Amino acid sequence: MDRLNVTQKLIKSHLVDGEMRSGAEIGLKIDQTLTQDATGTMVMLELEAMGLDKAQTEISCQYVDHNLLQTDNKNPDDHLFLKSAADRFGIWFSRPGNGVSHPVHTEHFARPGKTLAGSDSHTPASGCMGMFALGAGGLDVAFAIAGEPMYLKMPKVLGVKLTGKLPDWVSAKDVVLEMLRRYDVKGARGFVIEYYGPGLKELDTMDRHVIANMGTEMGATTTVFPSDDEVRRFMRQNDREDEWEELVADEGAEYDEHDEIVLDEIEPLIALPSSPGNVVPVSEVEGEPIYQSYIGSSANPGFRDFWITSEIVKNRRVHDDVSLDVNPTSRQIIENMVKSGVMLYLVQSGARIHQAGCNGCIGMGQAPASGRNSLRTVPRNFPDRSGTKEDSVFLCSPETAAASALTGKITDPRNLEKLFGMKYPKYREPEDYIINKEMLLKPSSNGEKRELVKGPNISTLPEFEELSDFKVPVILKMGDDISTDEILKAGAEVLPFRSNIPEISKFSFTVIDEQFYDRAQEVKDKHGGHIVVAGDNYAQGSSREHAAIAPRYLVQRAVIAKSYARIGWQNLSNFGIAPLEFTSDEDYDAIEQGDILQIENIREQLKSGEEVVVTNISKGTEFKTRHTLSGRQLKALLDGGIINTFKKELE
Ligand code: MIC
C-alpha cells in the first residue's frame, strides 16, 4: 500500500494494534471523544466504576442535546450529574440548549487528521472534515476516554466519485438519499464510504456533514471526506484556521469498491415510512396530504438549511393544516438566524420555533398526530421513533419539507417555480457569521475532587454473571433490519430512564411486543433467562447500549440472528450476551417462538472455534451457529461483560 486514500491514511496514522487487512480486528488510538446525555450518563457511571482519574484524550466533550424536555426531575437531574461528571473527569461540557453534539463538535473541536469516538451512531458526521469519526456503544467510548484503543474490524473502502453540479432545488440530503436508494440500510456494512472528485466543490463542509451523518443509515463503519480548501474556509469561519491541515488521497490511490454520483442527475428524493432505505423520487408521492414539516437535526444542521427554509416561506403563510416545526441545531445558529432575518421570516410564516437540540428527532416532543404524515429532515424514521404509535414519517431535504409546508401536501420543490413563480434562492455564506463558544464549559484543572451530583433516578450499573450453559425459551422471533429503536425505544416517556437500567428494562422490545417484559420476567424465574431470534442486520441504527444492557438485565443469554449491525453486535458482547449467527436460512425458519434452546459447553465451544452447536429441545433437532468474535471480545463475553474483564485485570 504506497498510494493511500484518506481512510487508509487516517487508519495508518492511528493504528496501535492489528494489521490493516480487511476483516481483521484493529485497534486505533482515539484523539477525541464526544458523548451526549442520553448515552453519556451511562458512560460517566462506567468511568466511575472504572475509577478513572482524568480523560486521556486530547479533547473530550459531553453534550446535552437529547433529553431536553423537563417534565419532572429526571432529565434536569441528569444534566446536573453530567456537568459534575464532566468536570470530575476533565471533559468539556456543552450546556443544555447549546446544540446538537455533531454540528457543535464539528464547528468547534473536530480536526482534520484526527480520530473521534462518540457514543452516538451519527458521530461519523465529523468525517466531513477529514476526520476518522466512529460511533460506538458507551462502554467503548468510556474506554477511549480512559486512553484505551477503539477496536473494530478493518473496513474496506468504498470510493464514491462525485462529478457535475447539483441542479436547482436539489441539495446534500438528496445526495445521501440517492446513496440510500442504492445501498439501502445494510449495503455499506463493513465499508468506509469515502467521497472524492470534482463534484466536491459543490458541497460545503456542512453539506458534507449531511452526507457523512447519514452514512450510518447504510450501515457504514464511517464516512470520510478529504480536508481541502473548503474545510480550511469552514475552519477560518469558525476562528480555527490554525488547526487546519490538508488531508487528501494520494494521486492514483485505490478503493476496494467504486461508485459514482453524477450530481446533475439527482432529483429531489424522499424516504417513505418506516425505513431510511425506502427511497423514491418526491414526484412519486406528490399530492399526499401532510400534517407536519420538521426542519433540523444532525442530518440537516447547517445555517444554510434554515436559510433555505426561510427563503421558501418568506412573505407566505404555511398551510392551515401544517405544523412547521423548526429545530435550530445550535445556539450559534439561533444567533445567526436572528441577525440575518431568517428567524423573522420563519416566525412570520407561522413556523413553531423550538430550542436548539435533537428534540423530535428522537421523539422528545413534536410527535405527529395519529395516522398523519410527517415530513422530516432528520436521519431516521424507524417505526414509532417519533413518539406516535404506527407513525408515518418521511425523510427529505429542507427544500422538500418547506415546499410541502406551504402547499399542505408532499410537493416536489421544483414545482415552486410553477406554483409561486419562485426562483431557486442561491445560498451565499454570510460574511459576518457569529461564532459563540460561551456555552462550552472548559473542565477545571482540579476536577478530580469534585463530588458527582446524583439525583434519585440515577442507579448504579447492574452486575452481570459470567457466561454459562443454558436451556432457555425463545421469547421473541423477529424479522430483518430490527432497529435499536424497536429493541429499546426512544421518546419522551422512555429516555429519562437512560440512567436507570431496572426501570428502562421494562420497555425492552415493547415496540414489537407489549408483553415482552412480562414474559421475560416469567421465564427468568422458571428457566434462568431467555433467548431472542432475528433475521439480517439485527440492532441497526442507534448506538444506544441500553438495547443490550436492558435485555441483559432481563437475563437475555444469547441472540441468534442471520447477521448484525456493527455497533449493536459489539454492544451485545460488551455486556455478556452471546451474539450467534445462523449458518442457514432453514435453521432460522425452523425455530418458533416458545421453543426451548439448549447450548452445552458454551464456553469451550466458543473458545475452540467459530462453531457453536444449539439443540432445539422442543423440536428434537440440532443446528450449527457461528460467531465472529475476536479473542478480546470473547474474553469479555465469557467474563459476563467487559467491565468484569476490566475489574479482573485490576485484581
Ligand atoms: C439516534 O439518532 O438514534 C440517537 C438517539 O442519537 C442515538 C443515540 C441514543 O440512542 O441515545 C444514536 O444515533 O446513537
Side-chain angles (χ1 to χ4, degrees):
M1 257 193 229
D2 3 303
R3 287 173 301 185
L4 304 181
N5 54 48
V6 177
T7 306
Q8 290 162 340
K9 287 186 181 187
L10 285 162
I11 293 179
K12 194 171 171 203
S13 59
H14 289 83
L15 190 72
V16 288
D17 205 357
E19 270 174 57
M20 289 173 66
R21 193 169 29 83
S22 111
E25 190 177 71
I26 53 169
L28 297 182
K29 175 181 178 298
I30 295 301
D31 302 319
Q32 302 189 354
T33 65
L34 75 75
T35 41
Q36 41 90 338
D37 50 329
T39 52
T41 48
M42 240 341 115
V43 175
M44 297 305 147
L45 291 171
E46 286 154 2
L47 291 179
E48 186 191 24
M50 286 158 62
L52 180 82
D53 235 17
K54 233 186 183 19
Q56 298 297 308
T57 45
E58 291 170 15
I59 282 178
S60 287
C61 187
Q62 168 65 52
Y63 296 86
V64 180
D65 54 5
H66 280 68
N67 293 355
L68 293 178
L69 285 184
Q70 300 181 199
T71 54
D72 63 17
N73 66 300
K74 294 188 199 70
N75 289 343
D77 281 356
D78 278 356
H79 302 169
L80 292 182
F81 167 64
L82 288 169
K83 183 165 183 286
S84 67
D87 203 35
R88 154 95 168 258
F89 298 123
I91 294 170
W92 285 74
F93 183 68
S94 176
R95 297 188 57 186
N98 190 44
V100 177
S101 65
H102 312 298
V104 176
H105 199 88
T106 301
E107 280 162 353
H108 300 301
F109 293 121
R111 279 181 80 156
K114 299 282 182 187
T115 51
L116 166 68
S119 60
D120 189 292
S121 66
H122 293 114
T123 305
S126 292
C128 64
M129 48 194 291
M131 213 181 182
F132 198 75
L134 287 165
L139 201 44
D140 289 326
V141 177
F143 277 100
I145 294 174
E148 294 294 319
M150 174 73 82
Y151 289 94
L152 64 150
K153 284 191 175 158
M154 175 68 196
K156 292 189 183 157
V157 188
L158 165 65
V160 181
K161 185 170 177 184
L162 300 175
T163 58
K165 265 178 83 62
L166 278 174
D168 286 354
W169 304 105
V170 174
S171 59
K173 184 61 153 285
D174 299 301
V175 177
V176 75
L177 287 173
E178 169 62 21
M179 285 293 287
L180 272 152
R181 198 179 62 74
R182 296 182 190 186
Y183 292 90
D184 205 345
V185 289
K186 42 186 176 276
R189 280 184 303 170
F191 283 90
V192 170
I193 307 175
E194 181 170 326
Y195 292 89
Y196 68 100
L200 278 181
K201 62 177 182 306
E202 283 290 292
L203 303 166
D204 70 21
T205 307
M206 272 298 159
D207 293 332
R208 298 176 191 185
H209 184 296
V210 172
I211 297 170
N213 183 81
M214 281 185 71
T216 301
E217 266 47 74
M218 288 165 253
T221 302
T222 186
T223 295
V224 164
F225 281 86
S227 169
D228 56 9
D229 276 344
E230 159 49 29
V231 174
R232 182 179 203 159
R233 181 209 59 78
F234 175 77
M235 292 186 79
R236 184 181 319 125
Q237 184 186 48
N238 283 287
D239 283 344
R240 298 201 291 133
E241 192 178 2
D242 55 326
E243 294 177 19
W244 177 78
E245 65 180 67
E246 188 177 63
L247 187 64
V248 294
D250 290 332
E251 191 74 37
E254 265 308 312
Y255 298 94
D256 297 291
E257 301 227 346
H258 294 266
D259 204 347
E260 177 165 348
I261 292 187
V262 182
L263 296 172
D264 313 75
E265 291 172 2
I266 299 195
E267 58 181 311
L269 295 170
I270 192 161
L272 310 179
S274 291
S275 165
N278 287 345
V279 178
V280 300
V282 174
S283 54
E284 241 177 61
V285 280
E286 207 164 27
E288 284 278 322
I290 67 160
Y291 159 83
Q292 182 179 50
S293 265
Y294 179 113
I295 312 287
S297 90
S298 65
N300 269 109
F303 176 73
R304 188 213 81 98
D305 298 321
F306 299 95
W307 176 87
I308 190 81
T309 306
S310 81
E311 283 294 306
I312 292 172
V313 300
K314 184 166 157 182
N315 301 328
R316 297 188 169 80
R317 224 169 52 127
V318 299
H319 191 276
D320 286 351
D321 296 336
V322 177
S323 173
L324 172 60
D325 288 281
V326 173
N327 291 268
T329 29
S330 65
R331 186 180 292 272
Q332 180 174 301
I333 285 195
I334 298 180
E335 285 187 41
N336 285 294
M337 287 165 75
V338 170
K339 185 170 173 204
S340 60
V342 163
M343 192 64 98
L344 180 68
Y345 301 135
L346 288 171
V347 171
Q348 281 178 338
S349 76
R352 301 167 70 179
I353 312 291
H354 302 276
Q355 68 173 311
C358 305
N359 303 336
C361 175
I362 23 88
M364 190 53 76
Q366 301 165 60
S370 357
R372 303 301 173 100
N373 295 325
S374 168
L375 258 56
R376 298 182 167 212
T377 66
V378 306
R380 301 195 162 131
N381 58 349
F382 295 128
D384 299 6
R385 180 178 158 96
S386 66
T388 296
K389 215 161 170 39
E390 287 161 26
D391 56 9
S392 175
V393 176
F394 296 70
L395 309 178
C396 63
S397 70
E399 284 86 340
T400 302
S404 310
L406 287 181
T407 60
K409 44 196 184 212
I410 299 182
T411 300
D412 184 326
R414 293 172 300 186
N415 288 334
L416 288 174
E417 304 205 0
K418 195 166 65 208
L419 290 169
F420 298 101
M422 218 185 275
K423 286 268 157 291
Y424 186 52
K426 287 274 184 248
Y427 179 65
R428 297 248 323 270
E429 286 283 334
E431 270 167 24
D432 47 356
Y433 194 73
I434 304 170
I435 304 301
N436 187 339
K437 303 181 193 177
E438 278 169 29
M439 299 295 148
L440 288 170
L441 307 185
K442 197 174 177 173
S444 48
S445 51
N446 58 350
E448 300 91 275
K449 298 189 189 68
R450 174 113 192 214
E451 281 283 303
L452 294 180
V453 181
K454 285 189 188 168
N457 182 46
I458 300 178
S459 78
T460 44
L461 282 174
E463 295 194 1
F464 298 128
E465 284 170 9
E466 287 196 336
L467 185 74
S468 56
D469 289 355
F470 53 80
K471 189 155 100 185
V472 295
V474 173
I475 63 169
L476 190 63
K477 181 170 178 182
M478 298 165 275
D480 291 342
D481 299 322
I482 295 298
S483 70
T484 47
D485 278 317
E486 288 153 285
I487 301 171
L488 208 279
K489 68 192 239 186
E493 187 195 357
V494 184
L495 280 162
F497 293 111
R498 284 287 180 94
S499 30
N500 189 335
I501 299 302
E503 279 305 314
I504 207 167
S505 70
K506 296 180 181 158
F507 297 92
S508 304
F509 296 98
T510 48
V511 172
I512 305 171
D513 182 342
E514 301 242 347
Q515 259 59 61
F516 184 89
Y517 177 75
D518 292 342
R519 243 186 353 265
Q521 290 296 73
E522 207 182 292
V523 304
K524 184 167 92 179
D525 300 333
K526 203 157 152 212
H527 299 275
H530 72 266
I531 203 165
V532 296
V533 162
D536 269 322
N537 201 26
Y538 179 70
Q540 68 158 331
S542 144
S543 67
R544 67 189 72 142
E545 57 192 348
H546 302 77
I549 317 176
R552 177 72 186 97
Y553 182 76
L554 302 179
V555 202
Q556 185 168 98
R557 312 294 295 264
V559 176
I560 313 181
K562 289 186 186 173
S563 68
Y564 293 88
R566 178 181 66 89
I567 307 177
W569 169 74
Q570 173 71 67
N571 284 342
L572 289 175
S573 63
N574 277 356
F575 288 96
I577 300 175
L580 301 174
E581 287 168 36
F582 285 105
T583 52
S584 83
D585 285 353
E586 291 73 47
D587 293 336
Y588 167 84
D589 294 340
I591 293 190
E592 277 177 286
Q593 197 161 303
D595 284 357
I596 305 273
L597 302 187
Q598 178 171 30
I599 303 188
E600 289 177 305
N601 303 321
I602 187 165
R603 299 178 71 87
E604 291 68 28
Q605 288 206 61
L606 284 164
K607 280 193 271 189
S608 65
E610 288 191 349
E611 205 174 280
V612 175
V613 178
V614 182
T615 311
N616 187 332
I617 303 278
S618 313
K619 300 264 177 335
T621 54
E622 210 175 74
F623 64 97
K624 283 182 191 144
T625 63
R626 63 175 200 131
H627 77 88
T628 54
L629 299 166
S630 68
R632 187 189 55 83
Q633 289 171 305
L634 195 55
K635 194 163 177 339
L637 173 63
L638 296 176
D639 287 342
I642 204 159
I643 297 194
N644 292 353
T645 308
F646 181 79
K647 284 190 184 151
K648 270 190 179 174
E649 279 164 11
L650 286 185
E651 277 164 14

